[in-house]
Amino acid sequence: MLKRLLKNPLSLTGIVLLAIFFFMALAAPWLAPPAKPCPSFVYYIVPDWILRPFMKELPCEPFRIPRDGFRAAPLPPDPQAWKTFPPRLKDEFGKMLHPLGTTENRYDIWYGLVWGTRTALIAGIVIVGCTLLIGIIIGSISGYFGSWVDSVLMRGVDFVLALPTFLMTLVILSIWGRGLDKIVLVDILFGWAGYARFVRGIILSVREREFVSGAKALGASHWHIIFRHVLPNSIYPVLILASLDIGSIVLGLSGLSFLGLGQGEDYADWGQMIAFARNRIVGVAGGDVMQYWYTWVFPGMTITLFVLAWNLLGDAVRDILDPRLRGTR
Amino acid sequence: MLGFIIRRLLFLPFLWFAITFLTFLLLEPLGPYQRVALFINVNPEQAFGGKLTKEQLQRLIEKYGLDQPAISQYVRWIKQVFQGNFGWSKVAQKPVFEAIRERLPATFELGLYAVLPVVLIAIWLGVLSAVHHNKPLDHSLRFFSITGYSLPTFVFGIFVLMFFYGILGWFPPGRLSFWAERIVYDSAQFTRYTGLNTIDAILNNRWDIFVDALRHLVLPVLTLSYLSWAGLQRVTRSSMLETLRQDYITTARAKGLTERIVILKHGLRNALIPVTTIAVPTVIGLMLSGVVITETVFNYKGLGLLSVDATLQFDVPMVLGFTLIGTSLIVLTNLLVDILYVFIDPRVRYD
C-alpha cells in the first residue's frame, strides 16, 4: 500500500506535506523557542487546556504566543531574522524579531504557526484516539453479542448520529464557556457513533468465520475472542480511515476558534490567527489592502495546506481500500 | 408512504425534547446564582452597583424556580415554550422568538441563493468530470474540487473579501449599504413583505435597493456554496463513473441511442441515487456551520452571527432557539430527501 501511495503524485504531495507538518510539531521548541525555558518537558508536550484541571498553577505556557508591546497595528516580517535557521526570535540586543511578522495586537506569526501545528495535531490525535476507543468498544460489543444488546446500542448510535453536532457544540459552549478542552470534549461526546457503527459492521462479517467458532469450541471467553481473535483480524481499515479524519477534525476546531470559541487571543491556534487578519481587511477599504498581506497569507496558507495534505492522502487511501473503483482513476 | 412520513415527523419532537432536556442537564452543575447570572447580564454579587441585594436575588431565584432540580425546571420551561415563550435573549435585547423572526429572513435569503447553484452546478460539473474521465477537463475539475473542500470557509471568505472588496471594491460586507438600510428599515414608503431584501426591493419597485442587496449577497453566497459545491461534485463524479461502467450503459449505446440520452437518462438518473442519500444531508449539515462562519466573516446580520454572539455571551435561550430551528431544518430535509428518493429510484418503497 505504501508503495502505491508513493507512486501516485497526489498522495506523495500529501505525504511530503504531512511530514513537514509533523516535523514542525515535533521540533516546535527548537524552531520557535519560548521566551523562558520550561522546568519540565511535560509542558512542551501536554497543552495547558489538558493540564489545567490537574494543576492549580502552570509555571510555563509555551503554547501562548509572546506579544511584542501593546499596540494594535501588525508589524511586517523581519528579513534579519532569517539570517540563521531556525529563524531568530531576538536579535543580539534583545529586541524581538518577527520572521513572518505579527498579527494584530502584535502576536508573532511564526511562533503561532509552529506551535499551532502542535496544537492542531495534539487536538486531532486526542479526539480521534478517544472517539475511536469508544467506537471500537461499543461497536464490538454490539456486533459480537448481537440480539437485544445490539438493538439497544444501535438505537443509541442512531440517536447520537441524529443530533446536529455543530449546533450541539454551540449549545454546550454557551453553557460551559469557550475553550479548546470543551470543544475537544464535545467532539468526543458526539463523534464516536459513526465509528461504532462502522466497527459493528466489520465485526458482524468476521463473527461467523471458522477461527471464531474454533476459539469458541476451545472454551475461550467472550473478551478473549473479541480482543485476540476478532479485532486484530478486522481493525486495520478502521484505524487507517479514522486517522485520516484528523484533517477534517482540525478544520472544525479551527473554525470554532475563528469564531472566538477557542483558548483566547494569545493562544497558538490557526483559526484564532485568521480571525485577527479579518479585522485588517475590513478595516482598510480604499487604503492599501496589501499592506498587511502577511497577516492572512501565512496563517491561511498553513491551514489550507494542512487540510489539503490530509485530503490528498485520504483520497488515495480510500481508493486503495475500496477495490470496486480500482483502476478507474 | 404516509405512515413513513408520519413516523418521521413524530421523530422531530422527540429530538427537540432530547436536545432541550440535555441542555437542562448540562445546566444542572451550575449553582442557582450562576443560573440567575445567565439572565441578568452582570455579576449578580455586584449587580446594579450593589443595589441588587442578596435577598432580591434569592427572590428572583425562587420566582423562576432556579434552585429546583433540573426536571422541574425543564417542565416549567416546556410549559412556557408551548405558550410561545422561548425566553429572553440578552444579546438581542428582546424575546428569543422575536429575535429569530427578525433575523431568520436574512439567513434564509443567503441559503436560498446558495443552495440552488450548489446542487445544479455541482451535479453538472460532476457529470462533466466523469464523462471526460482522465482528460484535462477532468483533472482541472478535480483540482477545483479538492481545493474546494480543503479551503476552510473562513480562509476562502477572507481571500475573496480581500480581493473583491479590498482591491476591487465591488462587493462590500454587511447586508445593505448605509443609505439603503435607512430606507428599508425606517422609511414608511418601503414595505417589508417577506424580509428578504432582494424580493422586497422588487415588490417595492426599488431597483437601486435590489442591486445594493445583491451586491452584498454575492460574496457570502459564493463562500457558502464553494465548500458544499466541491463535495457534491466529487460524489456525483464517482457515482457517475461507477454507473457508466454498468452493462446497461453498454446496451443503451449498442441500441444506437445518442450519447446525450445515454448519459442523462440512463446514466445520470441512476447515478443520482447515492448523490441524494449521501450528499444532500451532508450539504445541509455543512451549510449550517458554514452559515455561521460566513455570516461572521462578512458581518452579515443573520441568525448565525447572532448565535455566535449568543454563544460567546452565555445567552443560552438564544442558542437553544437557533438549535431547535437548525434541527428541524435537518430533520425536514432528510424527510424530503427520503420522499424524493422514491421518485428517483422506483424500486424503493417505504412500508
Side-chain angles (χ1 to χ4, degrees), chain B residues 44-236:
Chain B
E45 308 279 330
Q46 312 151 4
F48 306 111
K51 275 186 210 144
L52 193 66
T53 59
K54 226 166 181 147
E55 289 78 61
Q56 281 169 317
L57 271 181
Q58 198 59 44
R59 227 176 304 145
L60 267 179
I61 290 172
E62 270 162 31
K63 185 176 170 201
Y64 294 105
L66 294 176
D67 49 354
Q68 285 161 15
I71 183 81
S72 58
Q73 283 186 54
Y74 183 65
V75 170
R76 212 186 157 97
W77 181 80
I78 277 286
K79 272 187 198 154
Q80 290 292 313
V81 166
F82 276 119
Q83 290 164 23
N85 178 9
F86 282 81
W88 175 264
S89 161
K90 70 182 180 191
V91 171
Q93 290 293 324
K94 55 182 66 150
V96 171
F97 192 72
E98 229 171 86
I100 288 178
R101 211 178 47 191
E102 207 179 273
R103 293 287 192 108
L104 189 62
T107 304
F108 182 70
E109 191 173 25
L110 182 57
L112 190 71
Y113 286 104
V115 167
L116 215 61
V118 164
V119 175
L120 295 181
I121 298 180
I123 289 176
W124 178 58
L125 291 180
V127 171
L128 220 56
S129 190
V131 171
H132 296 263
H133 181 220
N134 274 344
K135 302 238 175 66
L137 182 67
D138 181 33
H139 289 307
S140 38
L141 283 175
R142 283 189 74 196
F143 176 77
F144 167 77
S145 110
I146 205 163
T147 26
Y149 59 81
S150 300
L151 264 173
T153 319
F154 49 94
V155 173
F156 182 70
I158 280 180
F159 282 7
V160 292
L161 188 64
M162 219 276 318
F163 189 71
F164 289 104
Y165 174 59
I167 295 181
L168 299 174
W170 289 353
F171 305 120
R175 200 175 166 216
L176 279 176
S177 298
F178 192 59
W179 61 267
E181 222 165 43
R182 273 214 316 245
I183 297 174
V184 171
Y185 296 116
D186 303 331
S187 154
Q189 279 95 42
F190 194 94
T191 328
R192 307 193 74 205
Y193 300 101
T194 57
L196 311 179
N197 285 339
T198 45
I199 293 174
D200 284 348
I202 295 177
L203 292 177
N204 282 290
N205 208 10
R206 287 296 302 257
W207 292 91
D208 50 339
I209 291 182
F210 175 75
V211 170
D212 189 64
L214 216 53
R215 276 181 63 194
H216 286 83
L217 268 171
V218 172
L219 292 186
V221 165
L222 187 68
T223 308
L224 186 56
S225 14
Y226 188 30
L227 177 75
S228 348
W229 215 344
L232 199 57
Q233 182 196 326
R234 178 162 159 250
V235 178
T236 314

Side-chain angles (χ1 to χ4, degrees), chain A residues 159 166-167 170-172 174 176-177 251 255 259-260 274 278 281 285 289 296 307-308 311-312 315 324-325 328, chain B residues 18 22 26 133 146 149-150 152 154 158-159 162 165-167 234 242 245 289 296-297 311-312 314 322-323 327:
Chain A
F159 174 67
F166 179 77
L167 296 172
L170 286 190
V171 171
I172 291 179
S174 73
W176 286 348
L251 187 64
L259 295 175
I274 301 272
R278 177 184 167 272
I281 290 168
V289 275
W296 50 271
V307 183
L308 184 70
N311 282 342
L312 287 174
D315 269 15
R324 276 183 315 160
L325 288 175
T328 60
Chain B
L22 200 67
L26 288 169
H133 181 220
I146 205 163
Y149 59 81
S150 300
F154 49 94
I158 280 180
F159 282 7
M162 219 276 318
Y165 174 59
I167 295 181
R234 178 162 159 250
E242 178 96 14
R245 295 192 311 155
S289 62
T296 311
V297 172
T311 310
L312 285 168
F314 302 98
F322 178 60
T323 306
T327 315

Side-chain angles (χ1 to χ4, degrees), chain B residues 9 23 35 39 46 57 77 106 113 119 130-131 154 219-220 249-250 300 334-335:
Chain B
L9 283 177
T23 314
R35 258 175 254 150
F39 299 104
Q46 312 151 4
L57 271 181
W77 181 80
Y113 286 104
V119 175
V131 171
F154 49 94
L219 292 186
I249 296 290
T250 321
Y300 182 92
N334 284 342
L335 177 65

Side-chain angles (χ1 to χ4, degrees), chain B residues 8-48:
Chain B
R8 288 293 291 270
L9 283 177
L10 283 179
F11 179 65
L12 184 58
F14 172 71
L15 206 56
W16 277 348
F17 282 120
I19 289 173
T20 48
F21 189 60
L22 200 67
T23 314
F24 273 78
L25 283 183
L26 288 169
L27 283 167
E28 183 68 5
L30 305 178
Y33 284 98
Q34 281 166 302
R35 258 175 254 150
V36 125
L38 288 179
F39 299 104
I40 57 174
N41 218 358
V42 274
N43 184 357
E45 308 279 330
Q46 312 151 4
F48 306 111

